[in-house]
Amino acid sequence: MSSGALPQIPGLQSLLGRCQSLVRVHTCVRGLAETLCVLILCILVCGIADYLLVLPGTVRAGSLAIGVCSTLAVAWRRFLRPLMFSASNAELGAAVDLKFPELQESIATLISMERPDATASELGSAQMRNRIYQHVEMQVSAIRPTQVVPSGTTWHRFMMLAIAGAVLSLPFVIWPSSAQLLLQRLLMPFANLAAATNLYFDVPQGDRVVATGTDVTFVAIPQWRNGATGDVPTNVVLEMKTQDDRLEEMAMSWDESQRQFTASLVDARQTLQYRVTGGGASTEWFTMTVAEAPRIVAATLIETPPAYTGHPVRTIDGV
């Protein structure tokens, strides 16, 4: 379509403007859908890998960085950058020509008749020119922008986003605790969090304060996030990290009557961190603080005799 036809035909410039707006809307929707799809895909891949392999913090941090960089790259290339540029009238006019070839021929005829160097045979009669002009104007007014700008790709991207969102939300509906924990482990890779496995250990009084020289009993109760009781792991270990960063392990014994694992530490002398591991599951690190037991070093006795004795109230200091 010649750019010279734009000012000659009422409604043509308006049509191309509306097409331009529709192109920007489709670009925005497609770019946003693709960006969110990439983000959801990264979350799903990282979550599944962490659930199956219990990734360490450094690997989860690397996965988070890769996911963020991938999402930003797609957002720039498919969402932000396309919005900075607009399709030219020539490109939109070509799209109109391809969709409506009869309109293209009518406009070409009208332009040839309006040329200054047109011959008498090309000019035709004024009535014929007027009828062609009215015919072109009627064709332009009947065109809708949606007929020029295809929306199939946009709907395809939107459906991909809807499917990806449904897949991501499914674990939060079926296994909410595991899904929330996996998301926390991804967003906070170096936080003190338990593994998001189906099996986990409930540790009563995880963070505790004990007196120096006392015997401490550690209890770990196996639980399953899906609610169904599974096989009890055979090798459960209490890992202890001392203040000088030494790592020690102690096997925990299974108490069938209480349905729990136990381990005892004799004569606790120093503060340490500990966690329970076994069956692919591991708890967060707990802190056992060792402190001196309280003892009475001073006491005050207040003696309040009955009023009829006439004796005053006395305060006696001492143990």
Side-chain angles (χ1 to χ4, degrees):
M1 182 182 295
S2 174
S3 58
L6 297 180
Q8 298 180 20
I9 303 174
L12 186 55
Q13 181 66 60
S14 175
L15 171 64
L16 297 182
R18 285 181 288 142
C19 290
Q20 181 73 263
S21 300
L22 187 59
V23 168
R24 294 181 70 86
V25 170
H26 284 303
T27 301
C28 179
V29 173
R30 286 197 299 266
L32 182 60
E34 292 178 5
T35 302
L36 293 178
C37 282
V38 171
L39 176 61
I40 292 174
L41 180 62
C42 291
I43 294 176
L44 287 174
V45 171
C46 294
I48 293 173
D50 189 25
Y51 180 81
L52 296 176
L53 304 176
V54 190
L55 302 176
T58 52
V59 177
R60 283 181 277 132
S63 302
L64 178 61
I66 293 174
V68 171
C69 292
S70 301
T71 303
L72 292 177
V74 173
W76 166 253
R77 185 173 181 180
R78 303 293 293 173
F79 179 61
L80 297 176
R81 187 178 178 184
L83 292 179
M84 300 170 60
F85 302 95
S86 301
S88 63
N89 286 333
E91 294 173 330
L92 294 174
V96 174
D97 292 341
L98 290 175
K99 191 68 177 179
F100 303 96
E102 296 180 358
L103 176 61
Q104 178 189 10
E105 295 177 1
S106 300
I107 292 177
T109 302
L110 185 61
I111 292 176
S112 65
M113 296 173 64
E114 296 292 339
R115 287 188 296 109
D117 58 344
T119 63
S121 59
E122 291 176 336
L123 286 174
S125 64
Q127 183 178 5
M128 182 182 67
R129 290 198 302 271
N130 187 43
R131 292 191 62 180
I132 295 177
Y133 185 85
Q134 292 177 351
H135 178 66
V136 170
E137 184 179 356
M138 182 179 63
Q139 285 182 299
V140 170
S141 62
I143 297 176
R144 298 188 303 273
T146 54
Q147 295 176 283
V148 180
V149 181
S151 59
T153 305
T154 302
W155 282 109
H156 179 67
R157 297 291 187 274
F158 187 80
M159 290 300 299
M160 288 177 56
L161 174 60
I163 294 174
V167 173
L168 179 63
S169 62
L170 191 61
F172 288 91
V173 176
I174 301 177
W175 307 290
S177 61
S178 296
Q180 292 173 8
L181 185 55
L182 284 171
L183 187 60
Q184 288 179 340
R185 286 171 59 86
L186 175 62
L187 298 180
M188 299 181 293
F190 297 109
N192 182 24
L193 297 171
T197 52
N198 182 37
L199 168 68
Y200 69 98
F201 295 100
D202 182 18
V203 181
Q205 298 180 347
D207 294 321
R208 64 181 72 180
V209 179
V210 300
T212 303
T214 57
D215 297 340
V216 182
T217 300
F218 300 94
V219 176
I221 305 173
Q223 304 283 353
W224 288 264
R225 300 185 192 276
N226 61 5
T229 303
D231 296 332
V232 177
T234 57
N235 187 20
V236 177
V237 175
L238 179 70
E239 295 183 359
M240 296 176 290
K241 187 188 299 182
T242 60
Q243 291 178 316
D244 53 359
D245 289 333
R246 287 186 297 108
L247 188 63
E248 300 178 359
E249 293 185 354
M250 180 187 301
M252 302 189 73
S253 58
W254 172 246
D255 186 345
E256 182 65 33
S257 61
Q258 298 292 329
R259 301 292 297 177
Q260 63 186 20
F261 290 93
T262 58
S264 297
L265 178 64
V266 180
D267 192 20
R269 289 292 174 180
Q270 61 175 328
T271 298
L272 55 83
Q273 291 182 313
Y274 70 95
R275 69 175 182 178
V276 178
T277 62
S282 62
T283 66
E284 65 269 29
W285 287 96
F286 300 104
T287 300
M288 185 191 74
T289 303
V290 178
E292 290 291 336
R295 58 191 179 91
I296 299 176
V297 296
T300 301
L301 173 65
I302 300 177
E303 182 183 273
T304 307
Y308 67 85
T309 63
H311 295 162
V313 176
R314 292 194 308 163
T315 300
I316 305 172
D317 294 331
V319 177

